[in-house]
Amino acid sequence: MSRLAWAWFNALQLLFTLLWTAAWICLALLVRLLTGGRHWPLRMASRCWAPGLLHGAGARLEVHGLERVDWARPHIFVANHQSMIDICALFRAVPVPLRFVLKQELAKVPFVGWYAQAMGMVFIERASARSSARRLRAAVEVVRGGASVCAFPEGTRSRGRVGPFKGGAFQLAIEAGVAVVPVAIEGSGKVLPAAGFHVRPGKIVVRFGSPLSSQGLVPHERSALARQAREAVVALLAESSAQ
C-alpha cells in the first residue's frame, strides 16, 4: 500500500476510533445511570469497545498465562506500555472487570474522563503529595472492595527497552494486601506506535506471569517489589520473543 493510501486509511481509522469510543462511552454512562452499578458498563468496555478497536486496527490478540491467576481475587496488574492500544488489549485479555491507574489530566478529557470517573478508575496526581496520599487511600479501599486494577508503572510509553518501574502501584498492592501480577505486552507498538496515529495490522501478545505476593511487606519495600515485577515482565517478553 502506498504512503498516501496508508494516510487515508489511518485518517478513516482515527475517525472510526473517535466515533466508536464516544458512542460506547455514552451508552455505558447511560447504563450506569439506569442501573446504578459499574459491572456492566465495565464489561461493555471489554466485550464491545475494545474488540471493535482491535478489529478495526487489524490486530490479532493472543493471550497466555491466564491459568496462573486466581481470577476470584483482586490483583494489581502491572504491564509494560508500548502503545495506547495496550488498554484495549488488556480490557480484552483480563476476564474480570478491570480499572486502570490514570494520570489526573485525563479526568478533564471529554468522554474518556467522564467514563473513567464514573467507573471508579484510579487517578494519580504527582504534583501534590497531600492529594496523592488521599487518592492512594481511596484506591486502597477500591481494591479491598474486590476490584482489580491495572497500572503502567513505567509512567509513559516505552520505545523498545522496558523502563524502570515507579513504586506507586506497588505501594497500593502492599497497603491493600493483594498480589501483583506482571503482564508483558508484545507487538502493540508495531500495531500503533507511540508517536502519531499510524496503524498497521499485526499480532499483539499478552502474557500473564505468576502473581508476586505482597504479604508481609511494608510500604518502604515497594521499590524492591517494583524491581521484581520489572524483571518478571522482561522475562515474559523474552519468552514471547523466543516463541
Side-chain angles (χ1 to χ4, degrees):
M1 190 180 294
S2 68
R3 183 176 298 181
L4 180 60
W6 274 119
W8 277 106
F9 180 62
N10 285 163
L12 290 173
Q13 284 182 312
L14 177 58
L15 179 61
F16 167 74
T17 298
L18 295 174
L19 294 176
W20 183 261
T21 298
W24 278 107
I25 284 177
C26 289
L27 185 56
L29 292 176
L30 179 60
V31 171
R32 169 86 167 101
L33 179 64
L34 294 176
T35 65
R38 292 169 173 162
H39 177 83
W40 284 111
L42 279 171
R43 299 312 281 157
M44 290 165 69
S46 63
R47 295 178 180 176
C48 304
W49 173 75
L53 291 188
L54 290 169
H55 182 74
R60 306 184 309 278
L61 183 65
E62 287 187 10
V63 182
H64 303 276
L66 289 172
E67 71 283 354
R68 295 170 173 166
V69 182
D70 179 1
W71 298 102
R73 297 175 177 271
H75 295 85
I76 304 298
F77 297 92
V78 293
N80 62 307
H81 194 21
Q82 298 180 345
S83 167
M84 285 303 296
I85 207 169
D86 291 339
I87 293 175
C88 295
L90 287 166
F91 259 133
R92 190 61 179 152
V94 174
V96 296
L98 186 64
R99 292 169 174 83
F100 284 86
V101 177
L102 304 172
K103 295 178 181 179
Q104 178 61 33
E105 304 87 80
L106 287 176
K108 301 176 183 177
V109 177
F111 293 101
V112 173
W114 304 338
Y115 177 81
Q117 292 184 77
M119 294 303 108
M121 302 290 179
V122 177
F123 290 97
I124 56 173
E125 188 174 357
R126 298 189 181 95
S128 170
R130 181 179 297 179
S131 176
S132 295
R134 185 175 66 252
R135 291 182 185 280
L136 176 62
R137 289 194 297 271
V140 168
E141 293 306 312
V142 168
V143 176
R144 285 178 177 170
S148 286
V149 173
C150 182
F152 299 113
E154 290 171 282
T156 187
R157 283 166 282 177
S158 59
R159 293 172 172 84
R161 182 178 179 274
V162 178
F165 279 8
K166 296 178 173 62
F170 304 94
Q171 183 171 347
L172 171 59
I174 291 169
E175 297 202 13
V178 300
V180 171
V181 179
V183 185
I185 306 174
E186 179 68 29
S188 60
K190 294 180 180 178
V191 172
L192 180 60
F197 194 87
H198 307 290
V199 179
R200 298 294 183 269
K203 181 171 68 173
I204 299 175
V205 179
V206 176
R207 194 176 297 273
F208 294 91
S210 298
L212 306 174
S213 176
S214 68
Q215 294 296 320
L217 300 181
V218 293
H220 74 261
E221 295 178 289
R222 65 182 189 175
S223 295
L225 183 58
R227 288 192 295 271
Q228 186 182 1
R230 182 186 179 278
E231 290 170 1
V233 169
V234 170
L236 289 168
L237 288 169
E239 186 179 334
S240 289
S241 298
Q243 293 183 358

XYZ file of all heavy atoms in Angstrom, residues 60-101:
346
model
N -4.538 -8.906 15.817
C -4.879 -10.257 16.271
C -4.327 -10.417 17.691
O -3.129 -10.255 17.925
C -4.262 -11.310 15.345
C -4.620 -11.117 13.890
C -4.063 -12.236 13.019
N -2.641 -12.468 13.240
C -1.667 -11.746 12.685
N -1.964 -10.729 11.891
N -0.401 -12.034 12.926
N -5.203 -10.746 18.636
C -4.810 -10.816 20.039
C -4.588 -12.260 20.467
O -5.435 -13.117 20.253
C -5.889 -10.177 20.912
C -5.587 -10.108 22.422
C -4.397 -9.208 22.695
C -6.822 -9.627 23.178
N -3.425 -12.510 21.081
C -3.125 -13.793 21.698
C -2.917 -13.576 23.188
O -2.236 -12.631 23.580
C -1.866 -14.424 21.099
C -2.033 -14.984 19.709
C -0.795 -15.751 19.254
O 0.098 -15.990 20.106
O -0.724 -16.098 18.069
N -3.489 -14.446 23.998
C -3.387 -14.313 25.452
C -2.842 -15.619 26.026
O -3.333 -16.704 25.707
C -4.761 -13.994 26.082
C -4.621 -13.816 27.591
C -5.358 -12.745 25.445
N -1.827 -15.499 26.880
C -1.208 -16.667 27.514
C -1.091 -16.440 29.019
O -0.949 -15.310 29.483
C 0.196 -16.907 26.940
C 0.222 -17.091 25.460
N -0.014 -18.306 24.856
C 0.449 -16.204 24.453
C 0.078 -18.171 23.533
N 0.352 -16.901 23.274
N -1.144 -17.529 29.776
C -0.894 -17.477 31.211
C -2.090 -17.186 32.082
O -1.932 -16.937 33.282
N -3.299 -17.228 31.521
C -4.496 -16.967 32.337
C -4.618 -17.949 33.501
O -5.148 -17.595 34.564
C -5.750 -17.042 31.465
C -5.962 -15.911 30.453
C -7.139 -16.234 29.541
C -6.195 -14.578 31.167
N -4.124 -19.155 33.299
C -4.246 -20.192 34.328
C -3.372 -19.902 35.554
O -3.543 -20.528 36.607
C -3.883 -21.555 33.739
C -2.401 -21.778 33.427
C -1.927 -21.082 32.155
O -2.771 -20.507 31.440
O -0.708 -21.108 31.897
N -2.466 -18.944 35.446
C -1.580 -18.624 36.571
C -2.248 -17.741 37.623
O -1.712 -17.551 38.718
C -0.325 -17.912 36.060
C 0.552 -18.783 35.175
C 1.645 -17.971 34.514
N 2.588 -18.809 33.787
C 3.479 -18.366 32.907
N 3.531 -17.067 32.635
N 4.301 -19.197 32.299
N -3.396 -17.177 37.293
C -4.042 -16.172 38.145
C -5.356 -16.707 38.705
O -6.141 -17.325 37.989
C -4.311 -14.879 37.344
C -4.941 -13.821 38.243
C -3.021 -14.359 36.721
N -5.577 -16.472 39.994
C -6.864 -16.785 40.619
C -7.785 -15.588 40.386
O -7.700 -14.572 41.095
C -6.670 -17.039 42.112
C -7.984 -17.350 42.831
O -9.047 -17.392 42.155
O -7.960 -17.534 44.064
N -8.667 -15.706 39.416
C -9.481 -14.567 38.997
C -10.600 -14.248 39.973
O -11.290 -13.239 39.819
C -10.034 -14.814 37.604
C -8.932 -14.939 36.599
C -8.439 -16.073 36.044
C -8.139 -13.858 36.075
N -7.391 -15.786 35.199
C -7.188 -14.442 35.192
C -8.148 -12.480 36.257
C -6.250 -13.671 34.501
C -7.217 -11.707 35.571
C -6.288 -12.303 34.713
N -10.781 -15.073 40.998
C -11.786 -14.776 42.018
C -11.277 -13.744 43.018
O -12.062 -13.226 43.820
C -12.185 -16.058 42.745
N -9.987 -13.438 42.978
C -9.382 -12.494 43.907
C -8.991 -11.201 43.185
O -8.653 -11.236 42.003
C -8.123 -13.095 44.551
C -8.368 -14.338 45.394
C -7.043 -14.915 45.866
N -7.229 -16.061 46.734
C -7.367 -15.996 48.057
N -7.329 -14.812 48.665
N -7.538 -17.083 48.779
N -8.996 -10.074 43.885
C -8.500 -8.834 43.271
C -6.976 -8.864 43.169
O -6.302 -9.473 44.007
C -8.975 -7.748 44.231
C -9.080 -8.437 45.555
C -9.510 -9.850 45.257
N -6.438 -8.215 42.154
C -4.991 -8.134 41.946
C -4.630 -6.745 41.446
O -5.480 -6.010 40.932
C -4.522 -9.163 40.911
C -4.693 -10.594 41.307
N -5.888 -11.276 41.111
C -3.847 -11.473 41.895
C -5.762 -12.517 41.558
N -4.525 -12.664 42.038
N -3.340 -6.425 41.553
C -2.774 -5.270 40.872
C -1.987 -5.806 39.686
O -1.012 -6.546 39.872
C -1.855 -4.447 41.792
C -2.587 -4.015 43.064
C -1.313 -3.229 41.029
C -3.774 -3.108 42.823
N -2.417 -5.477 38.477
C -1.706 -5.895 37.267
C -0.747 -4.781 36.859
O -1.137 -3.608 36.807
C -2.697 -6.183 36.131
C -3.625 -7.322 36.427
C -4.866 -7.088 37.021
C -3.272 -8.621 36.127
C -5.722 -8.132 37.313
C -4.127 -9.684 36.412
C -5.351 -9.435 36.999
N 0.494 -5.139 36.581
C 1.483 -4.146 36.146
C 2.046 -4.602 34.804
O 2.511 -5.730 34.658
C 2.601 -3.949 37.185
C 2.047 -3.303 38.443
C 3.297 -5.247 37.529
N 1.976 -3.730 33.814
C 2.349 -4.099 32.448
C 3.315 -3.093 31.852
O 3.308 -1.910 32.224
C 1.095 -4.190 31.574
N 4.139 -3.560 30.925
C 4.917 -2.634 30.111
C 3.965 -1.897 29.178
O 2.839 -2.341 28.933
C 5.997 -3.376 29.324
C 5.405 -4.382 28.340
O 4.603 -5.230 28.706
N 5.800 -4.285 27.086
N 4.402 -0.768 28.675
C 3.492 0.118 27.936
C 4.162 0.576 26.642
O 5.076 1.389 26.671
C 3.150 1.313 28.823
C 1.989 2.129 28.358
N 1.025 1.647 27.490
C 1.629 3.419 28.640
C 0.120 2.596 27.269
N 0.473 3.679 27.945
N 3.669 0.048 25.506
C 4.226 0.402 24.204
C 3.318 1.320 23.400
O 3.783 2.055 22.536
C 4.481 -0.877 23.377
C 5.468 -1.850 23.966
C 5.657 -3.073 23.076
O 4.872 -3.331 22.167
N 6.700 -3.828 23.362
N 2.010 1.273 23.688
C 1.050 1.911 22.795
C -0.256 2.183 23.524
O -0.586 1.517 24.513
C 0.798 0.984 21.597
O -0.320 1.386 20.839
N -1.038 3.143 23.005
C -2.354 3.392 23.575
C -3.288 2.195 23.388
O -4.246 2.032 24.143
C -2.977 4.637 22.937
C -2.376 5.945 23.417
S -2.468 6.147 25.217
C -4.248 6.207 25.457
N -2.999 1.360 22.411
C -3.865 0.195 22.170
C -3.649 -0.880 23.237
O -4.415 -1.848 23.303
C -3.648 -0.364 20.746
C -4.922 -1.074 20.254
C -2.439 -1.297 20.680
C -4.900 -1.418 18.781
N -2.638 -0.691 24.105
C -2.437 -1.612 25.233
C -3.686 -1.693 26.102
O -4.012 -2.756 26.640
C -1.263 -1.141 26.095
C 0.078 -1.272 25.399
O 0.168 -2.057 24.442
O 1.026 -0.576 25.813
N -4.382 -0.559 26.268
C -5.580 -0.544 27.113
C -6.653 -1.452 26.525
O -7.302 -2.220 27.246
C -6.091 0.897 27.286
C -5.080 1.710 28.105
C -7.464 0.927 27.957
C -5.422 3.177 28.249
N -6.827 -1.399 25.208
C -7.791 -2.290 24.545
C -7.391 -3.750 24.744
O -8.230 -4.608 25.038
C -7.853 -1.982 23.048
S -8.476 -0.348 22.648
N -6.105 -4.042 24.562
C -5.627 -5.415 24.687
C -5.853 -5.948 26.100
O -6.279 -7.100 26.284
C -4.143 -5.490 24.318
N -5.611 -5.114 27.104
C -5.781 -5.565 28.483
C -7.255 -5.692 28.861
O -7.647 -6.637 29.560
C -5.064 -4.607 29.426
C -3.542 -4.723 29.397
C -2.893 -3.528 30.074
C -3.089 -6.017 30.054
N -8.080 -4.749 28.429
C -9.514 -4.873 28.667
C -10.022 -6.210 28.119
O -10.847 -6.882 28.751
C -10.271 -3.734 27.979
C -10.677 -2.613 28.893
C -10.453 -1.292 28.535
C -11.295 -2.856 30.109
C -10.840 -0.240 29.361
C -11.692 -1.817 30.953
C -11.458 -0.507 30.569
N -9.534 -6.574 26.948
C -9.989 -7.804 26.293
C -9.381 -9.054 26.922
O -10.029 -10.088 27.013
C -9.634 -7.753 24.801
C -10.265 -8.861 23.968
C -11.755 -8.792 24.016
N -12.378 -9.837 23.214
C -13.575 -10.353 23.453
N -14.283 -9.919 24.489
N -14.082 -11.281 22.674
N -8.124 -8.960 27.362
C -7.418 -10.145 27.859
C -7.832 -10.530 29.274
O -7.884 -11.721 29.604
C -5.912 -9.904 27.805
N -8.104 -9.529 30.117
C -8.434 -9.809 31.520
C -9.909 -10.215 31.618
O -10.789 -9.455 31.207
C -8.159 -8.568 32.391
C -8.642 -8.796 33.824
C -6.664 -8.241 32.380
N -10.196 -11.405 32.162
C -11.578 -11.914 32.153
C -12.470 -11.398 33.283
O -13.554 -11.941 33.495
C -11.372 -13.433 32.271
C -10.114 -13.567 33.051
C -9.238 -12.419 32.642
N -12.025 -10.376 34.008
C -12.846 -9.777 35.066
C -12.887 -8.269 34.841
O -12.042 -7.720 34.127
C -12.267 -10.091 36.472
C -12.295 -11.582 36.748
C -10.848 -9.544 36.604
N -13.867 -7.571 35.427
C -13.903 -6.103 35.287
C -12.584 -5.486 35.743
O -12.032 -5.861 36.770
C -15.063 -5.694 36.199
C -15.962 -6.898 36.214
C -15.031 -8.074 36.184
N -12.093 -4.548 34.958
C -10.756 -4.005 35.190
C -10.797 -2.482 35.248
O -11.446 -1.833 34.427
C -9.825 -4.446 34.049
C -8.347 -4.091 34.171
C -7.717 -4.793 35.373
C -7.605 -4.480 32.886
N -10.086 -1.930 36.229
C -9.908 -0.488 36.329
C -8.431 -0.161 36.102
O -7.569 -0.986 36.376
C -10.369 0.019 37.694
C -11.878 -0.091 37.892
C -12.249 0.168 39.338
N -13.701 0.208 39.527
C -14.477 -0.866 39.684
N -13.945 -2.075 39.639
N -15.777 -0.741 39.862
N -8.164 1.054 35.645
C -6.800 1.461 35.344
C -6.364 2.600 36.245
O -7.181 3.400 36.713
C -6.685 1.910 33.880
C -6.676 0.774 32.900
C -7.861 0.247 32.419
C -5.479 0.229 32.458
C -7.863 -0.806 31.529
C -5.464 -0.824 31.559
C -6.657 -1.342 31.092
N -5.051 2.666 36.482
C -4.444 3.829 37.116
C -4.135 4.830 36.014
O -3.393 4.522 35.067
C -3.156 3.450 37.870
C -2.493 4.699 38.454
C -3.452 2.448 38.977
